[in-house]
Amino acid sequence: MSNTTFRRHFPDIAQEITAIRSTPTTPGVPSVPTRHDRLVARNAKLKRRNRELTETLELAASHIQRITLENQKLREQLEAATGVTRLTSIPSRRSAPS
């Protein structure tokens, strides 16, 4: 490795990388996954899971929006059918302290 600062601060990782680079891989022979391979696989799995959760969250938000709109329409239909008038709250007019 050419980065001496990296080798100085992370000698164990530098040795592992050097060993991986110097070991020739033979096709057809299964190799034991290294720490790096496990981290790469774990990172890929976490990225997939994060993407799935993001999609699920977006889907849930759109369902909530649809249900909210349906609820509003049903309330309006109920009020119209029963002849009930909805009273809106009027902000109180409190006098400012003197």
Side-chain angles (χ1 to χ4, degrees):
M1 293 189 66
S2 62
N3 190 333
T4 57
T5 305
F6 182 82
R7 283 187 289 156
R8 189 175 346 147
H9 291 293
F10 306 102
D12 52 337
I13 296 173
Q15 274 184 330
E16 185 178 342
I17 292 171
T18 303
I20 290 170
R21 286 183 177 173
S22 64
T23 306
T25 57
T26 54
V29 177
S31 61
V32 177
T34 63
R35 180 174 178 234
H36 177 264
D37 294 335
R38 289 189 305 269
L39 287 174
V40 168
R42 182 174 179 225
N43 190 32
K45 183 178 178 180
L46 288 172
K47 283 182 178 181
R48 278 192 308 273
R49 184 69 178 138
N50 188 19
R51 188 172 43 253
E52 290 169 1
L53 290 173
T54 301
E55 291 170 358
T56 302
L57 180 61
E58 290 172 357
L59 183 62
S62 62
H63 280 296
I64 290 170
Q65 290 172 342
R66 182 185 52 82
I67 291 170
T68 301
L69 292 173
E70 287 177 4
N71 184 33
Q72 179 62 30
K73 287 179 183 178
L74 289 172
R75 284 180 180 266
E76 289 171 359
Q77 290 173 359
L78 178 63
E79 289 172 3
T82 58
V84 174
T85 303
R86 173 175 270 179
L87 299 176
T88 58
S89 61
I90 301 173
S92 63
R93 293 185 182 185
R94 294 187 179 182
S95 60
S98 323

